[in-house]
Amino acid sequence: MSRTNAPAGPEDAGEPIAAFSRRSRAAQAMGRIDPVTRGVVPPLHVATTFIRDPDNAYSSGFSYARPDNATVREAEAVLAMLEEAGAGALLFGSGMAAATAVFGALEPGDHVVAPNVMYWALKRWLREEGPRRGLAVDFTDAEDPGRLRAAVQPGRTKLVWIETPGNPLWTVTDIAGAAEIAHAAGARLAVDSTAASPVHTRPLALGADIVMHSGTKILNGHSDVVAGVLAAREADAFWARVGAIRASGGAILGPFEAYLLMRSLRTLHLRAERQAAGALALATRLGAHPHVARVLYPGLPDDPGHAVAARQMEGGFGYMLSIRVRGGEGAAIATAVRVALWKRATSLGGVESLIEHRASVEGPGTPCPPDLLRLSTGIEDPDDLFADLDAALRAAHG
Ligand code: PLP
């Protein structure tokens, strides 16, 4: 390999394209040029340990890979830019590791308010593990501002957790309104924005303190990385504690995964916009389908969350929708069994479209009705996706 010793150009200093839009900056992963090779793609840093300087210092800032990694930092810089996060972003080994680090930073006795409609495994964690850690957790219909206000206890509630749109009913919660309610009570607001993506919603700009994503979903988008993201508005003591929990517990994302995630973030806007357009087209057509009782998608004008979604989401309403199939649970499962193009699998946000009978996954106590199929729209031809589902619905109703 020939190596140039040319002095670093102006593009090597700081972020050379900071003046441009989030879309442009993400497409170039912040526009950094590798100073050694002049490559437009940064190298993958895999070292777990680093040489001390002769004066015993670590002048590079890196000493060991459990608390920190240069590739992870590069991906975090892109995510912090996308979320407009004053305090930066932190990457974790999964969405659950990221979310539970936030709850782990609370003190025993703290009160938490969380939504009835939210990612089921985190809800189960809050129910089962929260009390063991001394947390008092109440669940409410967070999309109803009156109920959210009533659930918050001024002085005692330290965290309000919302998820919007909320998996798997895609309920919409007013982030600015929830921030006002949380802050008036002396609590922080954290938002699981996985189903919106930073392309369609900017929770920190709307007043949230922390935004969380399962990076496993549309951020990575290729169903080959498990990751979690937190980003914060302010670098306060709570955020420092979240970082300390990641560092001491070794919950950081691995460098290979961070590298793949950064590669995916370069196409995030293309994928998110295409997937949201596909979801809207499907929701509209399925709304008129004889075997579909109801479509749940905030992009539909008659959806109960549409007005708030239209206010707080930009450029689309996300890639997730659900349908309630006429004929009940049996007809819903029979439909999922009959698709060919849709993939019958859990998870969401990949370029391949996924279909799932969600009540089978969530079990007893779920707010998910038994006739519901959850649809994650990928990048396939929306006409093909509709035709495949239409044929499956018709065959199931045979
Ligand atoms: N939040 C939402 C909305 C999710 O859908 C998921 C996973 O499905 C998670 C959080 C958890 O993320 P992970 O599977 O990366 O731990």
Side-chain angles (χ1 to χ4, degrees):
M1 185 187 79
S2 78
R3 219 170 117 161
T4 162
N5 290 320
E11 71 271 26
D12 296 319
E15 196 208 325
I17 57 169
F20 297 95
S21 66
R22 292 188 305 152
R23 167 196 292 274
S24 296
R25 294 161 81 191
Q28 296 191 4
M30 317 291 279
R32 294 214 183 93
I33 304 299
D34 174 34
V36 175
T37 64
R38 316 290 293 149
V40 297
V41 175
L44 171 56
H45 295 279
V46 295
T48 56
T49 193
F50 301 83
I51 302 290
R52 267 189 196 274
D53 305 331
D55 66 356
N56 215 33
Y58 279 116
S59 56
S60 73
F62 294 96
S63 60
Y64 188 55
R66 188 179 62 228
D68 206 354
N69 172 273
T71 301
V72 170
R73 276 198 202 178
E74 301 236 17
E76 288 172 344
V78 181
L79 289 158
M81 177 276 291
L82 285 169
E83 290 294 357
E84 300 171 342
L90 289 170
L91 275 167
F92 290 76
S94 71
M96 281 297 288
T100 56
V102 175
F103 295 107
L106 294 167
E107 298 296 330
D110 284 354
H111 180 242
V112 171
V113 174
N116 280 323
V117 178
M118 66 181 293
Y119 177 52
W120 74 284
L122 183 56
K123 190 174 188 183
R124 187 179 64 183
W125 188 94
L126 285 171
R127 275 211 194 103
E128 293 176 5
E129 300 293 331
R132 301 175 89 156
R133 287 160 171 75
L135 300 179
V137 187
D138 280 321
F139 296 93
T140 191
D141 294 329
E143 67 278 12
D144 177 335
R147 292 203 179 169
L148 185 60
R149 200 179 293 278
V152 167
Q153 301 175 22
R156 183 166 176 247
T157 305
K158 294 293 187 276
L159 184 71
V160 174
W161 182 275
I162 61 172
E163 180 179 319
T164 184
N167 188 359
L169 305 183
W170 317 116
T171 45
V172 177
T173 299
D174 177 354
I175 297 171
E180 188 268 308
I181 291 169
H183 294 160
R188 288 184 170 75
L189 177 71
V191 181
D192 181 340
S193 192
T194 301
S197 93
V199 173
H200 299 306
T201 307
R202 293 175 294 142
L204 301 181
L206 292 166
D209 301 285
I210 292 182
V211 57
M212 175 257 157
H213 293 273
S214 166
T216 317
K217 314 305 180 193
I218 199 163
L219 293 179
N220 184 63
H222 295 75
S223 307
D224 55 6
V225 166
V226 174
V229 185
L230 296 175
R233 199 152 45 90
E234 248 178 72
D236 57 9
F238 187 80
W239 182 241
R241 177 134 175 74
V242 171
I245 286 171
R246 186 189 77 166
S248 60
I252 194 170
L253 187 66
F256 287 103
E257 286 78 5
Y259 181 86
L260 284 173
L261 180 60
M262 191 160 50
R263 176 179 163 138
S264 290
L265 291 173
R266 289 172 176 252
T267 58
L268 174 65
H269 280 76
L270 286 180
R271 289 183 287 105
E273 286 164 2
R274 168 68 191 253
Q275 290 175 239
L280 179 60
L282 277 167
T284 306
R285 293 179 76 177
L286 289 166
H289 198 283
H291 299 313
V292 174
R294 206 179 138 198
V295 178
L296 292 79
Y297 184 63
L300 293 178
D302 60 352
D303 187 271
H306 181 71
V308 175
R311 217 169 47 234
Q312 76 183 12
M313 300 184 82
E314 308 159 36
F317 297 91
Y319 52 97
M320 294 304 301
L321 67 151
S322 295
I323 55 173
R324 297 190 60 179
V325 178
R326 282 197 205 284
E329 178 169 24
I333 292 173
T335 301
V337 165
R338 285 170 168 78
V339 290
L341 184 60
W342 290 83
K343 294 293 163 272
R344 201 167 40 255
T346 198
S347 200
L348 38 134
V351 291
E352 61 286 302
S353 294
L354 304 179
I355 186 166
E356 181 171 51
H357 181 251
R358 193 62 195 162
S360 301
V361 176
E362 301 198 1
T366 175
C368 178
D371 57 5
L372 182 142
L373 292 175
R374 189 179 77 176
L375 307 176
S376 173
T377 316
I379 61 169
E380 305 91 338
D381 184 335
D383 288 342
D384 286 345
L385 290 172
F386 179 77
D388 189 39
L389 202 48
D390 174 48
L393 282 161
R394 289 178 195 282
H397 287 80

